[in-house]
Amino acid sequence: MKKLIIFLAVSCSALFTACEKDGDEIFVSGLTSSKLQTSESDIVLSQETKDAPMLALTWNESELSISSTVVSLPDNIPSAAIEISASEDFKTYQTIKPESNIYSFTGGELNTMAKNFAYTPDVSTPMYFRVNFAYSGNTDPYYSNVIAVNITSYSIDMSKAFVLDKDKADTGFVLYAPESDGEYSGFIGTTAWSNWFLKEGDGSLWGNEGADGKEFLMSSDESSMWNFWYPGFGGCYYTTASTSSKEWTATYIPNLTVSGDVSAEMTFVKSEVKWYVSVSTAKDNAVVKVSCSDAKLYNFSTATNDDAAISKEIGFIADANGGLTFDMLTASAGDITFGTAGDYTLTFYLSDPLNLHYEITAGATEEVKPLSGYLYLPGVDDGISGSWTFDNYLRLLSEEDSTFAGVINVNSLWGYNMSLEKDNWNDVYKMGDTEGTLEFQGANNITAPDPGLYLIQTDLKNLTYSHTEVTSLSYAGFNDDWSLVQMTAEEVDGVYSGSVTINATSEYGAKLYLNGGWDYFYGGESGNLSLGANGITDDASIATGIYDLIANIINQTYVFLGDEVYVTGLNDVWDFTSVVLTKASAGVYTGTAIISADSPYGMAIHLDQSWNRYYGGSFDSMSYLGANMTEVQSLANGTYNITVDFIHNTCSFEVQ
């Protein structure tokens, strides 16, 4: 039996729990070949199963022994590696480092390996697996038995790559490689400094090389990559990405100019990646061309430096069937012909790189953009978060009046801006000539008040804003009693609690009032608060009794809580008796539960036994009437202490 000899130096405590004396030789033995087993022998893959577990490998572990009774084995002995090959002799193979003696492959993982091994799609082909065990990197390995699994793979479309946002969610935009060779390109609509990633058809993820000064270099190393980011102009970009040269480029197109028998400037709609213009032609069969003479190319040599950007031109070429192509020369722009004299709308559709096309429709088009539901406040809390973000926002009160309002925890070091579009750093409102006034793309940040909780109100039609410090929250109106009852400020900013006795339904509903007066109040329904809204009428649908009312005026939510809440779905048991949590303090509930089976549909926290009032979402961010919490599916069997905290909006399981 082979043995590992460990020579202990003075610092041996870093590896073992104790040493008898320096220089002792300690022997580790017992490593043997293991029996590898598989859950499947024949697998047919499909696009629909790419995220599903399709193959599980498991193996027994050797019982190692050590020649000393006062030291213990390091956790990294032995090392194990799964080796996967297209041939039984393993002349070439891929390696995976498992964390335990069981490993599960998704359909996408298996299909990507089949693609890398050059398997023919739709043909059953053996793939070979074994496990390599060793005491350390410089000792002879022990191999498990070899298992062959027949894999029928599917073809992967490598002609398209999908643009993901900074959180790696699909944006709906794609880049196209006509030869499926990793040379992607397409038009993208984006905000200034927008962050993004690129995902290929085989699941390969690309981001920016994770180092300063390498803004336009690509990396597929997910452990070190950064997200890509566009330059400081929002709008239309012609974007290229090459997985061979590992570089990407962004050509900013600030405008498209219509010239010829009609002169006009087209308007860009970022969300649809389209340009449009309405024109009046004075003669029949008017002819125009569409081009851009002042585009800017950003690449590895320029980084995002506007002064270094390379000047470019673009000319669009239209065919008789409505198709579009383009060239990097304004002189290449082709003729586009209208009909009889009159009003027309010309639209370029650039979102689908496989179908760039244009349309000419009769009549003028006036596109009215809906006002955003949020007004974002970058810079309003950099004294707390440490950076400028779009995480804080006011909510739209009236689209007709362009008014917004919300309570914000303000701690601003340099003042702040207002933006109707998330991540748009360019189209912002700043302070006007005096405090309380606004100027679009003004010179100076809005002066912030001293740190604290404030109601911020904004009128974009009249370009004004105001700060009102929030000192308290009270309720009134329950049981038609309009005496103000002050609530308790909790440790979470903007969260208040109060005990409410409901004896009867109130005629007008109840409201929450700021600062002990009647000027500013919240109404609401279905767990959501809204400034100036009608009264809260939950007292018409819940039983009479005593409740804790928890209100969060920053997130604009509220909830009525009794003495118990009920966990449903745990162990796939859906009743109100299996797991009952009791009130520990206002908004906080505790109890125990035994996990003994799967929870395939997740779990929910019910506030009563009606099935109508419950919380879902996630353990870190519960939401009223949200989807079931699925994190419970990852918990091992055992007994847990459960805490549901409506003050912090969290749910936690702590193993006993």
Side-chain angles (χ1 to χ4, degrees):
M1 183 70 65
K2 297 178 182 176
K3 297 181 180 180
L4 172 67
I5 303 175
I6 302 177
F7 292 91
L8 300 180
V10 173
S11 61
C12 63
S13 59
L15 288 175
F16 297 103
T17 58
C19 295
E20 292 185 355
K21 65 179 182 177
D22 297 344
D24 282 352
E25 293 184 358
I26 297 178
F27 297 88
V28 177
S29 61
L31 183 60
T32 62
S33 298
S34 293
K35 176 68 173 179
L36 178 63
Q37 296 179 311
T38 179
S39 62
E40 306 289 338
S41 58
D42 292 276
I43 299 175
V44 178
L45 303 174
S46 67
Q47 184 69 31
E48 290 71 26
T49 62
K50 67 182 182 66
D51 296 321
M54 297 297 291
L55 174 68
L57 298 180
T58 185
W59 55 92
N60 61 298
E61 296 180 325
S62 300
E63 294 187 7
L64 301 185
S65 61
I66 189 167
S67 60
S68 173
T69 59
V70 295
V71 298
S72 58
L73 283 166
D75 293 337
N76 61 348
I77 295 180
S79 65
I82 301 172
E83 297 177 353
I84 310 103
S85 179
S87 59
E88 195 170 6
D89 59 11
F90 284 82
K91 284 186 176 180
T92 60
Y93 54 85
Q94 295 185 22
T95 300
I96 293 174
K97 287 284 190 179
E99 295 183 357
S100 66
N101 65 327
I102 185 170
Y103 188 87
S104 178
F105 294 87
T106 65
E109 286 179 290
L110 292 173
N111 204 68
T112 298
M113 288 190 294
K115 170 185 154 304
N116 294 338
F117 290 149
Y119 285 9
T120 302
D122 302 317
V123 175
S124 180
T125 308
M127 187 177 292
Y128 299 93
F129 299 83
R130 70 183 182 188
V131 183
N132 174 330
F133 305 93
Y135 286 115
S136 63
N138 59 356
T139 61
D140 294 336
Y142 291 84
Y143 290 102
S144 71
N145 54 303
V146 174
I147 285 181
V149 179
N150 294 319
I151 305 292
T152 302
S153 61
Y154 59 91
S155 59
I156 299 174
D157 183 3
M158 296 297 290
S159 66
K160 290 183 179 180
F162 304 92
V163 176
L164 311 182
D165 65 16
K166 64 180 181 180
D167 298 317
K168 300 178 182 177
D170 192 3
T171 64
F173 299 142
V174 298
L175 302 181
Y176 180 54
E179 303 300 325
S180 298
D181 56 358
E183 302 296 323
Y184 299 100
S185 62
F187 292 91
I188 300 293
T190 186
T191 57
W193 305 115
S194 175
N195 302 147
W196 62 289
F197 293 93
L198 190 68
K199 184 178 182 180
E200 293 189 276
D202 64 354
S204 298
L205 188 70
W206 292 87
N208 208 76
E209 187 168 326
D212 292 331
K214 298 185 177 182
E215 286 86 340
F216 285 86
L217 295 185
M218 298 169 58
S219 171
S220 59
D221 184 352
E222 295 189 43
S223 65
S224 63
M225 70 170 64
W226 295 346
N227 51 243
F228 300 120
W229 64 94
Y230 280 99
F233 296 104
C236 184
Y237 283 87
Y238 175 66
T239 302
T240 70
S242 171
T243 60
S244 57
S245 67
K246 296 186 179 180
E247 293 189 31
W248 72 284
T249 71
T251 301
Y252 175 56
I253 306 170
N255 54 67
L256 287 183
T257 300
V258 177
S259 60
D261 291 332
V262 176
S263 296
E265 293 289 327
M266 302 185 79
T267 297
F268 183 59
V269 181
K270 177 175 65 66
S271 60
E272 301 178 53
V273 198
K274 76 176 184 180
W275 294 83
Y276 75 97
V277 65
S278 292
V279 298
S280 294
T281 61
K283 67 177 186 179
D284 294 344
N285 301 318
V287 177
V288 299
K289 299 177 185 292
V290 177
S291 61
C292 175
S293 61
D294 55 353
K296 296 179 179 294
L297 169 66
Y298 296 85
N299 60 18
F300 178 61
S301 68
T302 68
T304 54
N305 184 349
D306 298 332
D307 294 333
I310 302 168
S311 296
K312 287 289 181 180
E313 300 176 349
I314 295 179
F316 282 90
I317 307 157
D319 64 34
N321 297 318
L324 278 178
T325 56
F326 66 96
D327 201 354
M328 289 295 180
L329 285 173
T330 56
S332 297
D335 292 344
I336 297 176
T337 305
F338 295 94
T340 57
D343 294 333
Y344 293 94
T345 297
L346 172 64
T347 306
F348 279 15
Y349 298 93
L350 306 181
S351 64
D352 184 356
L354 288 169
N355 185 28
L356 303 182
H357 64 284
Y358 72 97
E359 288 182 355
I360 297 175
T361 55
T365 299
E366 181 180 356
E367 182 160 332
V368 179
K369 296 182 179 180
L371 195 62
S372 169
Y374 303 99
L375 184 64
Y376 299 93
L377 309 177
V380 78
D381 75 338
D382 58 339
I384 301 171
S385 64
S387 61
W388 280 42
T389 72
F390 286 77
D391 295 338
N392 298 280
Y393 50 81
L394 311 180
R395 289 171 170 83
L396 178 66
L397 293 182
S398 169
E399 185 165 350
E400 181 179 351
D401 297 329
S402 300
T403 54
F404 296 80
V407 172
I408 303 295
N409 188 20
V410 176
N411 189 337
S412 178
L413 303 179
W414 310 102
Y416 66 97
N417 299 165
M418 298 179 175
S419 175
L420 288 168
E421 186 175 21
K422 190 174 184 179
D423 298 325
N424 188 339
W425 299 96
N426 187 48
D427 299 327
V428 297
Y429 292 86
K430 297 188 177 183
M431 193 171 71
D433 293 335
T434 60
E435 289 191 29
T437 66
L438 295 170
E439 180 182 351
F440 183 65
Q441 295 181 332
N444 300 310
N445 293 336
I446 299 167
T447 301
D450 293 335
L453 207 61
Y454 290 85
L455 171 66
I456 302 179
Q457 300 178 89
T458 301
D459 182 338
L460 296 186
K461 181 177 291 186
N462 296 303
L463 295 177
T464 61
Y465 70 92
S466 65
H467 299 132
T468 302
E469 185 175 9
V470 176
T471 57
S472 66
L473 185 70
S474 304
Y475 68 74
F478 294 109
N479 310 307
D480 283 330
D481 181 355
W482 290 93
S483 303
L484 287 173
V485 178
Q486 185 167 325
M487 302 174 70
T488 300
E490 298 290 345
E491 63 178 356
V492 176
D493 292 317
V495 176
Y496 296 82
S497 66
S499 180
V500 176
T501 300
I502 296 178
N503 296 321
T505 301
S506 55
E507 182 177 358
Y508 302 104
K511 296 179 180 179
L512 307 182
Y513 292 87
L514 298 180
N515 299 342
W518 306 101
D519 292 336
Y520 305 113
F521 64 85
Y522 285 91
E525 61 180 348
S526 300
N528 295 307
L529 296 172
S530 182
L531 191 70
N534 293 331
I536 299 168
T537 59
D538 292 50
D539 55 5
S541 59
I542 61 178
T544 59
I546 300 175
Y547 293 89
D548 286 327
L549 171 61
I550 309 297
N552 185 325
I553 57 174
I554 294 179
N555 294 340
Q556 295 191 190
T557 61
Y558 71 92
V559 63
F560 291 91
L561 300 169
D563 291 330
E564 297 176 340
V565 297
Y566 311 92
V567 179
T568 63
L570 203 66
N571 302 317
D572 202 20
V573 176
W574 297 87
D575 63 25
F576 297 117
T577 59
S578 298
V579 183
V580 180
L581 309 182
T582 57
K583 176 180 171 181
S585 60
V588 180
Y589 295 78
T590 60
T592 62
I594 297 174
I595 296 180
S596 58
D598 292 336
S599 303
Y601 303 104
M603 56 168 275
I605 309 295
H606 282 261
L607 309 182
D608 55 28
Q609 299 187 22
S610 68
W611 296 103
N612 298 321
R613 300 173 62 237
Y614 61 88
Y615 271 70
S618 67
F619 284 177
D620 293 331
S621 181
M622 299 191 303
S623 60
Y624 186 61
L625 304 183
N628 291 343
M629 303 176 189
T630 57
E631 295 99 323
V632 66
Q633 297 168 348
S634 64
L635 297 178
N637 289 353
T639 302
Y640 291 84
N641 295 322
I642 306 176
T643 301
V644 174
D645 185 342
F646 293 95
I647 305 297
H648 295 83
N649 220 31
T650 59
C651 174
S652 63
F653 280 69
E654 182 181 353
V655 65
Q656 285 191 355

